[in-house]
Amino acid sequence: MTVNQVEPLGKVRTKIVATLGPASREPAMLRRLVEAGVDVFRLNFSHGSHEEHSKTFDAIQEIGRETGRQIAILQDLCGPKIRLGSIAGDVVACDLDAQFVLTRNPVAPLDPHELTCTYEELPDDLDIGQTVLFADGTVGMMVMEKRPGWVRMKVTLPGRIRSNQGINVPGAALSVSALTAKDLADLEWTASHAVSYVGLSFVRHAADVTRLRAELQSRGSRARIIAKIEKPQAVANLESIVAEADGVMVARGDLGVEIDVSKVPAVQKQIIEACHRARVPVITATQMLNSMESSSRPTRAEASDVFNAVLDGSDAVMLSGETAIGMYPVETVATMSQIAHEAEILAFNRSQSGYGGWPMGAETCRNCPCGPTGTVARAGQVLPITESVVEAASLVAAKLRAALLVVATHSGRTALALSKQRSATPTLALTDDLEVAQAMALYWGVTPLHVPELYQSGQVAAFADEWCREHDLINTGDRLVVVRGVIPGNPSHNALLVHEVE
C-alpha cells in the first residue's frame, strides 16, 4: 500500500489559519509556519498580483509534498470593499467638526478635504444624517448636504485618514454586488489553481453564495466556499447563508465596524452555534493576537480571546496581520497553538466530569437540519445516515477508550460529521482524492491522509493498523474504531467496525 506520509497526529485539534504577506511568503518561512502548526494558508487577494499568488501557491504545494502534510489554501476574494482614493499628501487630519467632500468628480484634486472612493455610486447611495466611517471605524463623519455624485460631511469622530483606507456605512443597503469585476478576474486564477476554499467577502444573502458557486462551477473549480459574515444583513440572513455555504468565517474586523462593537461577542457565539447546528466548519478571525505584530508575547486579553473562541466551538482560529506583516509570525502561530491546546484540555476535562465541555456534540446531532435521504449534498452537507453512524462511532470510541477513530471518505462529509462530534479520540481521515484531503485540513480534530487507492471495507482497518504502527501511535490490545463513508459498489451505505490490534 502506498500513501503520502504525514507527521503523527498532533495534540492540537483546533486548526490554525495564517494569512500570508511580506513577512511570511518565502518558502523557508512557510516551512517554519507549517512546523509551528499552520493547517491553512490564506492568500489575501486584496493585495498582490496573480503572479505573486501563483508563486506562493506553488511553494505551499511543494512544502506539503516534502513534509507529507495536507495543507489547505484559502483564496480570500477582495469583494466590494469600499476604499478611499488617493488623498493629496497621502494623509490628512480630521479635526472635530471639520468638513470634507466625498465626490465622484473631484474639482480640486490637490485639496485633501476633497475625497474620492473606489465605489463611485457611494455619494448617491448616502442619505443626509447618515454616518460614514473610515479607517476601520477610527474616524467618523456625518452627511450634512447631498447633490448628485457629491456629499458634504462633518467630522464627528476625529482622527487621521490615509489614501486607500477602508470606508464603512453601517446599516446602509448599498447597491454594490458581492462579486466585483476584480473578483471575477481573480476567479480565472482560481480555475487554474486547486485552492481548497474561496472566501466570499461582504456576503449579505444566500444568493451571493449561490452565485459564486455557479461562477466556480462554470470555470471547472471544485473549491469550497467560505462565507464571511461581516455585514448586519448577513447576520439577519445567517441561517440561509450557513445552509448554502461550505464554511463560515466570523470576520470581526468589518463586522465590528458595521455593528456596535459591544454586540460582536454575542454575534460571534450566534454564528458559531448556527454553524454547529448545520455541521459547517467555522473560522473565528481578526485581531486574535494583534499585539504580536510587534511583540513576541500576546496580551492577557488576547490569550483569553483565543481561548474562549476555542471553547465556543470554533473549528479554526485565524491570524491576519500577525503572520502577514508581523515581526514574529512563527512565535505567533506557536502561541496560538498552545492557547488552543489549553482550551481543549479544559473542554475535554469538563466533558468527562459531566460539567459540560463543547457547546455542540453527539447529544445535539439529532437536531441537525440534515437534508432528506437521497438529496444531492453540497460539499459540506451531512446526511442523516452519516450523522447517525458517526454519532455511534464517537460513543463506541469513548466507551472502549479507543486509540484512534479512522474514517475512510471520498467526499469528506463523513470526516466533517465526525469532526463535529468533538470526540476526545484522535481522528485519522483517509481519502483517495487529493483535493478532499487538503480541504479536510480545516476540519477540527481531523488528520487527513491521501490514499491513492480506495480500499475495500476490510482493508481500511488493516491499513490503519499498519500506518499507526509505523508512526508509534498504537500498541497491542489497542482498539481502532473504523467508519466507512463510501463502500465501493454500495454508495448509499455507511459502515462501522471495531478493530483490535494484535
Side-chain angles (χ1 to χ4, degrees):
M1 298 180 181
T2 58
V3 63
N4 289 359
Q5 296 300 308
V6 303
E7 296 176 0
L9 280 69
K11 293 181 180 179
V12 182
R13 314 296 175 83
T14 305
K15 300 306 180 79
I16 296 177
V17 183
T19 303
L20 296 181
S24 54
R25 59 187 172 216
E26 293 302 318
M29 179 58 73
L30 290 171
R31 177 182 285 274
R32 292 180 64 195
L33 291 172
V34 170
E35 292 170 349
V38 171
D39 303 283
V40 183
F41 282 118
R42 172 177 174 249
L43 304 182
N44 187 356
F45 271 63
S46 295
H47 308 283
S49 65
H50 284 187
E51 182 179 359
E52 290 171 334
H53 289 306
S54 293
K55 183 178 179 181
T56 304
F57 176 91
D58 291 341
I60 295 170
Q61 296 287 73
E62 179 60 27
I63 289 168
R65 287 188 290 269
E66 291 175 357
T67 61
R69 288 278 300 275
Q70 300 301 331
I71 305 168
I73 296 177
L74 165 61
Q75 175 194 7
D76 201 341
L77 299 177
C78 182
K81 177 72 173 180
I82 304 174
R83 296 184 180 276
L84 284 166
S86 297
I87 297 174
D90 191 53
V91 61
V92 60
C94 303
D95 299 323
L96 187 64
D97 293 330
Q99 296 196 1
F100 285 76
V101 166
L102 178 64
T103 178
R104 182 186 307 167
N105 301 303
V107 294
L110 296 181
D111 183 357
H113 285 74
E114 187 173 67
L115 307 176
T116 60
C117 71
T118 54
Y119 176 47
E120 294 185 351
E121 289 75 19
L122 181 58
D124 295 320
D125 284 351
L126 295 174
D127 295 318
I128 292 176
Q130 200 158 34
T131 296
V132 182
L133 300 177
F134 302 84
D136 292 329
T138 58
V139 174
M141 303 185 194
M142 180 182 292
V143 178
M144 307 299 294
E145 183 182 356
K146 178 178 179 179
R147 303 174 193 164
W150 180 97
V151 293
R152 184 181 300 279
M153 304 176 294
K154 181 176 71 173
V155 176
T156 55
L157 179 64
R160 291 157 59 92
I161 56 176
R162 294 181 178 274
S163 300
N164 304 314
Q165 284 186 315
I167 300 176
N168 292 85
V169 188
L174 304 181
S175 57
V176 63
S177 170
L179 280 175
T180 67
K182 180 186 184 313
D183 295 332
L184 294 174
D186 289 339
L187 291 181
E188 297 302 323
W189 182 92
T190 315
S192 57
H193 296 79
V195 298
S196 302
Y197 298 94
V198 173
L200 182 59
S201 300
F202 302 103
V203 174
R204 288 167 291 182
H205 308 280
D208 297 332
V209 181
T210 304
R211 184 191 171 196
L212 174 57
R213 195 178 304 283
E215 295 288 349
L216 288 169
Q217 290 175 347
S218 70
R219 291 166 172 79
S221 172
R222 299 172 58 198
R224 292 157 167 79
I225 298 173
I226 301 290
K228 298 170 64 179
I229 308 299
E230 49 196 335
K231 301 284 287 184
Q233 297 95 324
V235 177
N237 297 310
L238 182 62
E239 297 292 339
S240 61
I241 291 171
V242 169
E244 184 63 30
D246 303 305
V248 167
M249 182 187 295
V250 188
R252 304 183 303 181
D254 279 283
L255 184 62
V257 176
E258 293 281 341
I259 66 174
D260 192 294
V261 70
S262 65
K263 298 182 183 297
V264 171
V267 171
Q268 174 177 314
K269 293 177 184 293
Q270 176 189 352
I271 296 169
I272 293 172
E273 289 170 2
C275 289
H276 275 279
R277 287 194 300 271
R279 298 300 189 254
V280 168
V282 56
I283 305 166
T284 300
T286 315
Q287 294 184 334
M288 303 213 76
L289 296 175
N290 191 57
S291 70
M292 291 193 74
E293 285 190 19
S294 56
S295 170
S296 61
R297 291 177 60 83
T299 67
R300 277 67 169 172
E302 289 168 341
S304 295
D305 181 34
V306 174
F307 191 98
N308 285 309
V310 174
L311 281 185
D312 284 347
S314 300
D315 293 275
V317 284
M318 192 176 97
L319 297 165
S320 299
E322 300 97 328
T323 50
I325 59 173
M327 297 172 59
Y328 303 97
V330 176
E331 292 84 351
T332 303
V333 171
T335 298
M336 178 168 271
S337 180
Q338 183 179 357
I339 296 169
H341 183 46
E342 292 296 329
E344 291 163 7
I345 291 173
L346 176 62
F348 286 133
N349 287 342
R350 284 180 169 181
S351 297
Q352 293 172 0
S353 67
Y355 179 72
W358 305 106
M360 296 286 172
E363 71 277 10
T364 59
C365 71
R366 62 181 59 89
N367 298 320
C368 171
C370 300
T373 303
T375 58
V376 177
R378 56 168 164 72
Q381 185 176 335
V382 179
L383 299 177
I385 294 175
T386 299
E387 188 73 58
S388 300
V389 170
V390 298
E391 179 182 358
S394 182
L395 293 172
V396 169
K399 186 75 173 178
L400 297 179
R401 299 182 181 275
L404 197 66
L405 275 160
V406 180
V407 55
T409 178
H410 180 70
S411 67
R413 283 195 289 270
T414 306
L416 175 58
L418 196 53
S419 167
K420 288 298 185 178
Q421 294 295 315
R422 290 301 193 262
S423 174
T425 307
T427 299
L428 179 69
L430 315 179
T431 182
D432 61 343
D433 190 317
L434 179 58
E435 290 188 34
V436 170
Q438 292 172 343
M440 288 193 295
L442 178 63
Y443 297 173
W444 186 98
V446 172
T447 297
L449 201 60
H450 178 223
V451 182
E453 301 86 6
L454 187 63
Y455 298 108
Q456 299 292 330
S457 182
Q459 292 179 296
V460 172
F463 171 78
D465 186 312
E466 178 184 339
W467 187 88
C468 291
R469 286 176 187 273
E470 291 177 359
H471 291 81
D472 296 322
L473 296 174
I474 56 175
N475 299 299
T476 300
D478 283 343
R479 291 162 177 149
L480 307 181
V481 176
V482 182
V483 179
R484 281 304 307 248
V486 171
I487 301 176
N490 294 284
S492 62
H493 288 65
N494 293 84
L496 168 67
L497 62 90
V498 178
H499 171 74
E500 189 163 353
V501 179
E502 297 180 352

